[in-house]
Amino acid sequence: MKVALVHDYLNQYGVAERVLEIFHKLFPEAPVYTLIYDRAHIPDHFKEWNIKESFLKKLPFVRKHYEKYFFLMPLAIEGFDLNNFDLVISISSAWSKGVITLPSTIHINYMLNTMRFAWDSYHSLVKARKGLTKILLALGLHFIRLWDENTSRRPDIIIAISKTVGKRIEKFYGIKPMIIYPPVDTNFFTPDERIKKEDFFLIVSRLRPYKRIDIAINAFNEMKIPLLIIGEGSMKGRLGRTANRNIQFLGKRSDEEVRSFYRRAKALIFPTFEDFGIVPLEASACGTPVIAFNGGGASETVEEGTNGLFFYPQTPEALMDTVLNFNSEDFNIQNVREVSLKFSKKQFIENFRRVIEEITKNKKI
C-alpha cells in the first residue's frame, strides 16, 4: 500500500509536527507534502525525510510572510499530484484536507482545527482593516470559506483532535467527525518521586494574546505567590512590564528542562481556551496537578479533583479563588498521572491503526 502524508506547514515544531512524526514512523517510506518547509525552525531529523514543498517556496519573503499568500494556498494544495497513492493522511488546521485524490484512494484527515481565520476570527480581522484593503480581505475570505466548506467533503473520513474542534466541524461543515485525541509522550514525561515539590506555580505557553497569560499575571500580582513562566512570544515584553517580582519569565527551555519544572511545580496554571492543549497532559504525566480554565480542550483532559481543578469564568478573580483554595496534598501523584495515560502515544497509534484497518477493509485496498 502506497502512502502519502500531507501537512499544512512545516515552519514550527508543535503538537501537529509531533503527530506527523508518529505517522511518519508508522509509514517511514511515505513522502510528506507541505505548503512551506522552513528548515531553520524544524528539527534536523526531518531533513532525512522525503519532503515535497509546493510552488509557494519560490515566492519572495514566503518564509516570514506566508500568511499574506493565503489566496494562493488552495491552488498550491491542489497542485500536489497524489494519483499514485492508495492512502493519503492529511493533518490540517486549514488547507491539507483540500488535496485532490482519486475515488480509489482513501483520504483520512486529522483535523487540528477548522480554518479559524475564515470563520471564528473573520469579523475581527476585517474590522482591523480600512478602505480597499478591508474590501479585498472580506471578498477574499468569502471565497476561501466557500472553498473550505466544499473541500470538507473531499476526505473519506474526518477525525477531530477534540470534542471542542468536533463541534466546529459540525457547525461549519455539517459533518459529525470521529474523535481521536492527540498523544502526549508519557514515556518521557514521568514523575520522579525523589524530587520534592517547590513553592512555585508554573505556566508553559507561547506568549500570544489569545493565550490569556495576562489573567494569570494579574492574579499572581495580587496574591504575591511565585509564578514561573516558560515560553516566548509577541506578548512577552508587555506581560513582563506588568508583572511584579514574584513572577519570573524563563524564556524557551529544552524538553528536559520543562520536564524538570513540571516535576517541581506545585501546580500548572492553564488560563487558555485551547482546541485541545497538550501542556496540561504533560504536567499530569509528571504527576503535577493542573489549575485550568473550564473551557475548550482542558475540559476534556482535566478531571476535577483527580488531576486538577477548574476556574470559571476566565478572570483573574476566579483564578485567584481557585489557587487560594488549592492544596497539593489533595492530589496523589499516581492518580494524576493515570489521567494522562488515556492520551498516550500507544493509545493514539492503536486508535488510528483501527481506523485505517477498518476503512481499508471496507474499500478493499
Side-chain angles (χ1 to χ4, degrees), residues 32-269:
V32 177
Y33 292 82
T34 188
L35 293 169
I36 296 162
Y37 176 30
D38 188 347
R39 291 160 180 78
H41 294 93
I42 295 294
D44 286 342
H45 64 266
F46 277 65
K47 295 175 183 176
E48 300 169 8
W49 299 4
N50 181 11
I51 296 176
K52 299 182 180 295
E53 198 174 357
S54 75
F55 70 80
L56 295 176
K57 67 181 179 181
K58 299 177 182 178
L59 300 178
F61 311 112
V62 71
R63 299 277 184 266
K64 188 173 285 187
H65 301 292
Y66 67 96
E67 292 173 335
K68 293 183 179 178
Y69 289 104
F70 75 89
F71 59 94
L72 291 176
M73 300 292 184
L75 211 61
I77 206 71
E78 291 177 351
F80 292 135
D81 182 359
L82 304 177
N83 284 357
N84 292 325
F85 295 99
D86 304 304
L87 172 64
V88 172
I89 301 174
S90 60
I91 303 169
S92 175
S93 58
W95 310 105
S96 294
K97 73 179 186 309
V99 291
I100 297 172
T101 59
L102 294 175
S104 58
T105 302
I106 291 173
H107 179 188
I108 300 173
N109 174 250
Y110 191 50
M111 193 168 290
L112 309 173
N113 200 357
T114 51
M115 196 179 282
R116 187 190 294 272
F117 66 89
W119 299 95
D120 307 65
S121 305
Y122 168 72
H123 290 291
S124 60
L125 285 172
V126 171
K127 285 177 182 177
R129 271 70 178 179
K130 294 181 180 180
L132 184 60
T133 303
K134 182 174 185 175
I135 294 169
L136 290 175
L137 181 62
L139 186 64
L141 289 178
H142 169 72
F143 285 106
I144 289 294
R145 270 195 305 279
L146 294 177
W147 181 88
D148 185 47
E149 185 178 2
N150 177 270
T151 56
S152 69
R153 296 188 289 275
R154 290 183 184 175
D156 293 274
I157 184 172
I158 291 179
I159 302 171
I161 66 166
S162 67
K163 294 175 184 175
T164 300
V165 172
K167 288 177 182 176
R168 294 193 194 119
I169 293 170
E170 286 191 68
K171 173 71 173 178
F172 300 142
Y173 307 146
I175 296 169
K176 188 173 179 63
M178 180 183 293
I179 310 294
I180 295 180
Y181 293 111
V184 61
D185 191 347
T186 52
N187 292 326
F188 177 80
F189 292 103
T190 58
D192 187 340
E193 297 192 17
R194 298 169 299 176
I195 296 175
K196 293 183 178 180
K197 291 293 184 183
E198 298 178 21
D199 188 26
F200 68 86
F201 290 83
L202 179 67
I203 287 177
V204 178
S205 175
R206 292 175 184 159
L207 304 181
R208 295 181 178 175
Y210 81 93
K211 296 288 189 178
R212 298 310 311 270
I213 306 303
D214 59 301
I215 290 173
I217 298 285
N218 292 334
F220 278 80
N221 276 347
E222 187 71 24
M223 293 184 291
K224 298 179 175 57
I225 294 173
L227 174 67
L228 305 185
I229 301 176
I230 294 175
E232 295 285 351
S234 59
M235 290 290 289
K236 185 175 181 179
R238 184 180 301 180
L239 293 170
R241 288 191 292 273
T242 61
N244 291 339
R245 291 184 178 181
N246 58 300
I247 300 172
Q248 295 181 50
F249 291 82
L250 305 180
K252 187 177 181 179
R253 296 298 177 109
S254 68
D255 287 348
E256 289 76 13
E257 289 175 302
V258 171
R259 179 177 61 184
S260 175
F261 280 105
Y262 281 145
R263 288 169 171 173
R264 291 182 284 130
K266 291 177 71 173
L268 177 83
I269 305 297

Side-chain angles (χ1 to χ4, degrees), residues 288-305:
T288 296
V290 181
I291 297 175
F293 168 62
N294 192 4
S299 63
E300 302 174 51
T301 60
V302 177
E303 298 178 12
E304 189 153 35

